[in-house]
Amino acid sequence: MKVRHKARVVLLDHGQLVFLKRGWPGGDSYCTTVGGSVEPADADLEAALRREAMEEIGATIGPATEFLTLTEPGGTTTVVQHYFLADLLDMDPGRRHGPELDDPDTGDFEPVRVALSRPAVAALNLQPAELADYVLRHVDAWGAA
């Protein structure tokens, strides 16, 4: 069985969290983390994470700490999602690049900021559900750090 790794990040930015708002015409929008597949050219998970942050939202990030790993077994491919927490150092959507921007079938994905609080996170349609549960349990501690 093939295993595909993905690196994803919850971004902290001065009392706010930064996620991606995703959506397709005719569908419900939802929020998720910045990130994606680890490519053969990536030195490691963190290198993939930094590349994805630049591609998807034009961001540079500080040191990243892994906080959650979710495994999604599949018929031929198991996907392992590695979730990290990192500070957003800067973001310029003009620096976004990559295949997602050129392919209309990927739908919309835009950065969205929310308050670093339980009510703000609870109001999001944050996916996957396991991530949303984890963030809700830890958001207060992240805000105190």
Side-chain angles (χ1 to χ4, degrees):
M1 178 175 298
K2 184 177 172 184
V3 177
R4 185 171 65 198
H5 292 271
K6 294 189 175 191
R8 311 192 66 78
V9 64
V10 173
L11 294 165
L12 298 170
D13 187 27
H14 301 96
Q16 295 184 313
L17 295 167
V18 179
F19 293 107
L20 276 180
K21 187 171 185 177
R22 299 292 318 263
W24 288 264
D28 292 332
S29 63
Y30 66 95
C31 287
T32 191
T33 52
V34 171
S37 294
V38 176
E39 302 294 338
D42 295 323
D44 55 23
L45 290 169
E46 194 166 336
L49 187 69
R50 292 178 184 289
R51 177 184 51 76
E52 287 286 346
M54 183 57 71
E55 285 180 5
E56 292 186 350
I57 63 171
T60 55
I61 63 173
T65 303
E66 189 169 357
F67 67 84
L68 178 67
T69 303
L70 299 176
T71 302
E72 302 166 7
T76 59
T77 303
T78 294
V79 177
V80 180
Q81 305 264 13
H82 301 270
Y83 290 90
F84 292 81
L85 183 67
D87 288 326
L88 177 67
L89 300 180
D90 65 65
M91 180 173 64
D92 177 356
R95 297 187 304 207
R96 292 173 16 153
H97 64 281
E100 297 94 344
L101 297 176
D102 299 327
D103 184 356
D105 290 336
T106 60
D108 297 327
F109 58 100
E110 294 297 326
V112 60
R113 294 174 185 272
V114 299
L116 186 57
S117 71
R118 281 176 175 253
V121 172
L124 295 175
N125 180 12
L126 184 59
Q127 298 295 321
E130 298 90 346
L131 172 68
D133 291 342
Y134 187 97
V135 172
L136 281 170
R137 288 193 316 270
H138 293 86
V139 70
D140 291 335
W142 293 344

